[in-house]
Amino acid sequence: ITTDGKATIKAVVTCGSASETVSLEVNVAAELKVSTPLCVKPNCLHDNDNCSAAIGVVDQIAYNNEKIYYIESAGEEKEFEGAYITALSADGSKKEHLYYFKETCVDWIVHRGYFYFSVYEYDKSNIAEMGQEINRDAYIYRIPLDKSTDEREVVYYAKHVSGDSQIDELMAFGDYLYFIVTGNTKENNEFVFESYKQDLKDFSLERLCIENGIELMTPSLIDDKLIFASSKEKDGEYQYYITDFNGNNPEPFCWVHEDDKLISDGKYIYIGKDVYYMEDDTQRTMTIYDAKMNKVDDIDLGSGSVTTWRFLPVDDKLFLFGGKKDAGKYVVFYYDKSVIGSLNGEKWDYTVTNKTIG
């Protein structure tokens, strides 16, 4: 799910069985409460891959400057090997393959005119026997979205790790890229979990490791500061830290239970149970705080088969979830943020767009 920050939301809705899956680009007009597949074919039922909104099975999309970006698997023309970085026009009328690569993509983001993606590739000179570890190299690359060059640029190479190495959790704010490196070191074959900050102006690198080996990771924005999760754990809770916008001067911020998730929309901080892919009748609650961790509201989210807990701020009024399974259909729905501060533990009713997909 992504947004232009105004009144339009882009979402991917996956339909069909496990063996026959179609992902449709869906445009949600927030004010009109309407969701419409981005299809330009007349009289299309949007139920198979002949629909121009069908983009295959994708994990995420990003919206930037009137285009939607995603990674799709290569087809028969590449013998089903590798993938394309793909751009789709906002109305769904034009699709363009920006770049083809053979490696396995782990994570990607769009930031300041570039498509950043982390991959790993196997060292074919060292083929492991059954049950043995396979060496592989992990990289972060970037390509310009304006196609000013067809060559990808190496942003980072995790040259100190090899066995099962990968780079994940890519995030970017301002001039800095944040990511996590995991794998076994080439020097002594010890497993490492390392968090980094990289300056995108000169590619200089900094470990996000503070006292006693505490790793800072996966930042989120609140006002003009960043909140980092950390590896510091005590009695089933994890310490979060707050820094300036450039990720400097970390200070303890709050503790969050290991079963909870902290998400910020830039104005509020939301803490509650992670309900990703849970389909039961468990009652779900959430506590909402301001930027200084003053409690604003306790909210009852109700129960039911919520399929994802992805928050997406559109403006001061809407608060979007990714999807909810309802009578065999998946729908896009959202909550009205203007009521925050007045619910006092009461149920927060959601609004469903007027079309179901699936």
Side-chain angles (χ1 to χ4, degrees):
I1 307 169
T2 187
T3 178
D4 58 6
K6 299 176 182 177
T8 304
I9 303 158
K10 312 291 181 182
V12 172
V13 180
T14 301
C15 319
S17 64
S19 59
E20 296 182 357
T21 302
V22 177
S23 293
L24 303 176
E25 293 277 7
V26 179
N27 184 77
V28 181
E31 296 302 321
L32 299 178
K33 304 175 184 178
V34 174
S35 57
T36 306
L38 296 181
C39 178
V40 295
K41 291 185 176 182
N43 304 317
C44 182
L45 298 178
H46 319 304
D47 59 356
N48 59 59
D49 57 10
N50 291 320
C51 171
S52 63
I55 59 173
V57 179
V58 300
D59 293 327
Q60 66 185 80
I61 62 174
Y63 181 84
N64 181 271
N65 196 24
E66 298 298 320
K67 289 185 178 180
I68 300 162
Y69 296 91
Y70 57 94
I71 288 180
E72 64 175 330
S73 299
E76 187 175 0
E77 75 284 355
K78 296 290 185 180
E79 297 182 345
F80 301 100
E81 180 181 10
Y84 292 103
I85 296 172
T86 304
L88 181 71
S89 60
D91 62 359
S93 62
K94 182 181 178 181
K95 185 171 80 168
E96 179 182 14
H97 289 151
L98 301 181
Y99 187 79
Y100 167 76
F101 60 95
K102 289 185 177 181
E103 303 94 336
T104 300
C105 182
V106 178
D107 198 9
W108 63 268
I109 59 170
V110 171
H111 182 64
R112 289 187 169 178
Y114 284 92
F115 191 104
Y116 293 84
F117 59 111
S118 65
V119 302
Y120 62 78
E121 56 183 334
Y122 290 103
D123 180 1
K124 295 181 180 179
S125 66
N126 184 15
I127 302 300
E129 297 180 2
M130 184 68 69
Q132 289 184 331
E133 182 183 86
I134 301 177
N135 291 338
R136 63 192 192 192
D137 294 320
Y139 293 85
I140 299 175
Y141 295 104
R142 73 177 184 181
I143 63 166
L145 298 179
D146 62 6
K147 297 193 68 177
S148 55
T149 176
D150 291 330
E151 297 295 324
R152 65 185 182 182
E153 183 178 15
V154 178
V155 176
Y156 173 74
Y157 167 42
K159 60 183 179 181
H160 63 298
V161 293
S162 181
D164 287 336
S165 63
Q166 72 175 37
I167 304 169
D168 204 355
E169 301 291 345
L170 269 62
M171 305 189 81
F173 295 96
D175 294 327
Y176 295 96
L177 177 70
Y178 301 88
F179 54 89
I180 292 172
V181 175
T182 58
N184 294 327
T185 61
K186 293 179 180 179
E187 182 177 355
N188 53 26
N189 201 37
E190 290 185 356
F191 179 79
V192 294
F193 179 98
E194 300 171 344
S195 184
Y196 288 91
K197 178 178 77 171
Q198 187 167 28
D199 191 322
L200 295 175
K201 301 188 298 297
D202 59 13
F203 287 177
S204 59
L205 201 65
E206 178 183 342
R207 276 290 307 279
L208 286 176
C209 184
I210 57 177
E211 76 275 1
N212 300 319
I214 298 171
E215 301 282 345
L216 303 183
M217 64 197 89
T218 57
S220 55
L221 182 67
I222 183 72
D223 280 351
D224 59 349
K225 299 181 182 297
L226 298 181
I227 303 174
F228 287 84
S230 85
S231 59
K232 184 177 181 179
E233 187 267 344
K234 181 180 179 181
D235 298 330
E237 293 189 333
Y238 283 90
Q239 174 85 72
Y240 279 69
Y241 289 79
I242 192 165
T243 71
D244 63 21
F245 182 72
N246 292 323
N248 300 320
N249 306 314
E251 297 179 357
F253 184 62
C254 69
W255 290 86
V256 176
H257 192 272
E258 61 184 354
D259 293 333
D260 288 349
K261 176 182 288 187
L262 181 151
I263 296 179
S264 169
D265 65 3
K267 180 180 180 181
Y268 295 113
I269 296 166
Y270 307 83
I271 299 178
K273 298 295 182 185
D274 185 351
V275 295
Y276 190 73
Y277 286 133
M278 289 177 62
E279 297 192 11
D280 55 33
D281 293 327
T282 302
Q283 203 72 15
R284 297 171 178 89
T285 59
M286 177 193 297
T287 303
I288 301 179
Y289 303 87
D290 64 17
K292 297 185 182 298
M293 282 304 288
N294 298 309
K295 188 167 78 169
V296 177
D297 218 336
D298 282 316
I299 290 176
D300 174 12
L301 295 178
S303 61
S305 53
V306 178
T307 61
T308 181
W309 198 41
R310 275 183 111 167
F311 300 104
L312 182 68
V314 179
D315 53 31
D316 289 337
K317 296 182 180 179
L318 299 181
F319 189 66
L320 186 78
F321 274 62
K324 183 180 176 66
K325 192 174 183 180
D326 184 14
K329 300 289 185 178
Y330 285 89
V331 299
V332 177
F333 66 106
Y334 55 87
Y335 291 86
D336 182 356
K337 290 171 65 176
S338 67
V339 302
I340 292 176
S342 63
L343 288 171
N344 298 316
E346 297 299 317
K347 187 174 181 180
W348 195 5
D349 291 324
Y350 59 83
T351 301
V352 179
T353 60
N354 71 344
K355 287 194 176 182
T356 58
I357 309 297

